[in-house]
Amino acid sequence: MIIFTLLVNVDQTFKVALKHAGLYSGIFLTLCVFICFYWDRFAKSNRVIHTQIGLLSIALFLLHTDFNWPDGKLELFLTLMFVLLAVSGIFGAFIATTLTKRLSHLPASQVCDDIVKQREIIRKQSEAVLLKAIKSTHSELIEQLYIDHLHDYFWTRTNSSAHLFGVSQIHLYPFTFIEMALNKATTAEQTFIVQLAELAQRKFNLDKQYTLAQANDFWRLFHQKIAWCLIILVLVHSLLAISFTGLAL
C-alpha cells in the first residue's frame, strides 16, 4: 500500500516533465532489475526471490509505461529487451520446475563430461554382449537387431526432441524393435536381448540427463545475455531521464 501510494501520489517537490507515477515506478523498476541481476549471480541457492522480484518488475514496467507502446527508438528497444527478458524468465521458471521434476525420476545427475564417458562405457559393454551372444547362440536375430537399430543408437545421442518434450519411452527408437525381437527370440536369445535392453535403458537415461542439462544451460546463457543488455539500456535510459528532467539538480 505504501509503495502504491508513492507511485501514484503527486509530489509537489518534483517539478519535472515526467509523470510522477512514471518517475517512482521507474526508480523501483531500476532497483528490481539490479536486485534480480544480483540475485541471479550471487545468490543462486534461492530462485524464489529472483522470480518474485521479476514478476514485480513486470507490474512496475506496465505502470511505468502507462500501458502504452513507446515512441522513441531507445525506449522501443528497451521495451523489446525487457519483454524478451520477461518472457525468457517466465519460460525459464517453467522449465526449471519441469526439468527438476523429470530428472528426479532418473539416477543421480552427472555433469556432461561424465555422461559422455558413461555412454562410451555402455557402448563397449553392448558390443561385448553382442560378441558373446553371437559366439554362444550364433543368433542372426540379435546380430541383425544390433546392426540395424542398436549400433547407431549406442554410438550417437538420440531422441533429443523427445527428451525435451517428455515423449513416452515405449514409443521411442529403438525400444519398439527390442520388444519385437524379444517376441521372436528363443530363451537363449532373450537373455542377451534383455542385457542389451538394460544397456539401452541406461543410455536413454544418460541422453535424457544430457539433453535436459544442455537445454537448461542454453536458456541460462540466453537469459543472462539479455539481462546484460537490459542493464546497459537501463543505465543509459536513467541517465537521459535525469539529464532531460533536471533531477540531477
Side-chain angles (χ1 to χ4, degrees):
M1 191 67 183
I2 296 175
I3 295 177
F4 180 78
T5 302
L6 289 174
L7 291 173
V8 299
N9 284 351
V10 177
D11 188 346
Q12 296 299 325
T13 59
F14 286 93
K15 305 299 182 180
V16 296
L18 288 176
K19 293 181 180 180
H20 294 88
L23 170 65
Y24 292 122
S25 62
I27 293 173
F28 282 105
L29 179 59
T30 302
L31 289 175
C32 285
V33 170
F34 278 95
I35 291 173
C36 279
F37 185 75
Y38 164 82
W39 221 274
D40 183 65
R41 291 182 63 82
F42 302 108
K44 295 181 179 180
S45 60
N46 192 341
R47 292 285 179 252
V48 177
I49 296 178
H50 179 95
T51 302
Q52 291 176 342
I53 297 177
L55 293 174
L56 175 62
S57 68
I58 295 176
L60 289 171
F61 183 83
L62 294 174
L63 182 60
H64 183 65
T65 59
D66 198 22
F67 296 88
N68 292 320
W69 197 253
D71 296 324
K73 293 182 179 180
L74 175 63
E75 288 76 13
L76 178 61
F77 189 53
L78 180 59
T79 298
L80 292 175
M81 295 299 291
F82 182 86
V83 170
L84 189 59
L85 184 69
V87 171
S88 69
I90 294 172
F91 178 73
F94 170 75
I95 65 171
T97 303
T98 304
L99 296 188
T100 300
K101 187 181 298 183
R102 288 166 61 187
L103 286 172
S104 65
H105 300 295
L106 299 175
S109 297
Q110 300 163 296
V111 297
C112 291
D113 290 341
D114 289 339
I115 290 177
V116 173
K117 293 176 182 178
Q118 287 297 317
R119 282 201 303 236
E120 177 67 16
I121 293 174
I122 290 174
R123 182 185 63 79
K124 292 179 179 179
Q125 290 175 340
S126 71
E127 292 174 349
V129 171
L130 172 65
L131 293 175
K132 187 175 180 181
I134 293 174
K135 184 178 180 179
S136 301
T137 65
H138 305 286
S139 172
E140 293 183 0
L141 175 65
I142 295 177
E143 182 180 5
Q144 204 63 37
L145 172 66
Y146 195 92
I147 293 174
D148 291 345
H149 306 294
L150 296 182
H151 177 271
D152 290 343
Y153 176 78
F154 283 116
W155 271 91
T156 60
R157 182 161 53 94
T158 58
N159 299 320
S160 296
S161 59
H163 292 316
L164 284 175
F165 296 105
V167 177
S168 174
Q169 173 190 323
I170 298 175
H171 306 292
L172 292 180
Y173 178 88
F175 296 99
T176 52
F177 296 102
I178 293 175
E179 186 67 27
M180 291 169 58
L182 275 173
N183 294 332
K184 298 177 182 178
T186 64
T187 303
E189 290 174 331
Q190 286 179 350
T191 302
F192 294 102
I193 294 176
V194 168
Q195 293 179 31
L196 290 172
E198 291 173 351
L199 292 172
Q201 177 65 58
R202 287 170 54 192
K203 181 183 179 292
F204 179 88
N205 291 339
L206 290 174
D207 284 347
K208 187 173 184 178
Q209 288 180 352
Y210 187 90
T211 301
L212 298 183
Q214 289 289 88
N216 187 60
D217 290 344
F218 176 80
W219 165 78
R220 285 188 57 82
L221 179 63
F222 177 80
H223 192 65
Q224 288 174 352
K225 296 300 182 184
I226 297 297
W228 271 108
C229 293
L230 185 64
I231 287 289
I232 295 172
L233 290 172
V234 165
L235 289 174
V236 173
H237 177 75
S238 300
L239 291 174
L240 290 175
I242 292 173
S243 299
F244 282 102
T245 58
L247 289 179
L249 299 176

